[in-house]
Amino acid sequence: MLDPILRRLVDPPLNRAGRWLAARGAPANATTLVGLAIGLLALPLLAGEQYGWALLAILLNRLIDGLDGAIARQQGPTPFGGYLDIVCDMAFYAAVPLGFALARPANALWAAVLLASFVCTAASFLGRAVMAVERGEADDGGRGRKSFFYAAGIIEGSETIFAFVLFCLFPAEFAWLAGLFAALCVWTASARVVAAGRQEGAAKRERDIV
């Protein structure tokens, strides 16, 4: 939901940094993997309740995730690059709830609920991208240049990072924060399914008229 607004703020400095790094031969895919490695450091840090350091790892991961896209736009994006980026994103997103589950047994149930909600949002997001390819739909570009169709929703990347920041700043409140965020994720996935169904119905009516 906030991604289109924030992209207008962060894209210009990221693109300048991407041009600088690309000119010096920094590879986009290797940058993606470095970002994942740093992001996965959050897991043991969270498990050890080192929330400040974990937050730093999370924020660095997101910064590098923006840089790899900026580098790719300079060097020429590839289908594999887009694929690698989303796989690394999903691995990182899963690591954070797992870290909180390992930190305190009381967190485990709500971390599991949160992970289940992530599966729902990821399935609705990636499944919608497949549907867009089959229909020949183009992305509107509101969330920056993407390698595949980007389904909008209440919960997107910006909201997820905001939630992770809140988890780290208020770890004692993880249970109710995770429950609230999980509910919003399920809402997002459900809304995407409903929207896709309506679009399918509209397309069928157009075919029947023709």
Side-chain angles (χ1 to χ4, degrees):
M1 184 172 64
L2 296 176
D3 281 8
I5 299 171
L6 294 179
R7 297 241 38 127
R8 290 196 290 270
L9 299 175
V10 303
D11 274 356
L14 281 177
N15 287 333
R16 287 194 294 272
R19 283 193 295 271
W20 188 88
L21 291 168
R24 285 151 182 80
N29 290 347
T31 304
T32 300
L33 294 174
V34 169
L36 175 63
I38 292 174
L40 291 181
L41 289 175
L43 197 161
L45 290 168
L46 289 170
E49 301 189 62
Q50 301 295 314
Y51 298 112
W53 289 108
L55 178 56
L56 178 60
I58 289 169
L59 295 177
L60 284 174
N61 169 272
R62 292 297 85 195
L63 173 62
I64 297 172
D65 182 67
L67 286 174
D68 66 1
I71 294 170
R73 286 189 289 274
Q74 297 300 315
Q75 298 174 341
T78 65
F80 177 75
Y83 167 77
L84 181 65
D85 183 68
I86 195 66
V87 169
C88 290
D89 280 350
M90 295 303 171
F92 164 71
Y93 288 149
V96 173
L98 179 57
F100 278 95
L102 294 173
R104 300 180 185 180
N107 290 340
L109 172 61
W110 291 106
V113 170
L114 186 58
L115 282 168
S117 75
F118 282 2
V119 172
C120 293
T121 52
S124 70
F125 177 78
L126 297 174
R128 184 65 183 84
V130 171
M131 182 181 291
V133 171
E134 293 177 347
R135 291 176 174 174
E137 294 180 62
D139 190 271
D140 62 10
R143 287 154 180 80
R145 185 179 174 186
K146 302 292 184 181
S147 57
F148 52 84
F149 185 89
Y150 197 103
I154 296 170
I155 299 299
E156 298 177 3
S158 299
E159 292 79 12
T160 303
I161 300 311
F162 180 65
F164 286 178
V165 170
L166 289 179
F167 294 165
C168 291
L169 293 178
F170 306 102
E173 310 301 331
F174 174 79
W176 76 266
L177 286 171
L180 174 61
F181 192 67
L184 291 173
C185 285
V186 172
W187 185 0
T188 296
S190 300
R192 284 173 176 159
V193 171
V194 170
R198 287 175 176 170
Q199 289 178 334
E200 181 71 17
K204 184 177 184 301
R205 287 191 293 273
E206 289 182 4
R207 290 194 298 270
D208 291 343
I209 291 173
V210 174

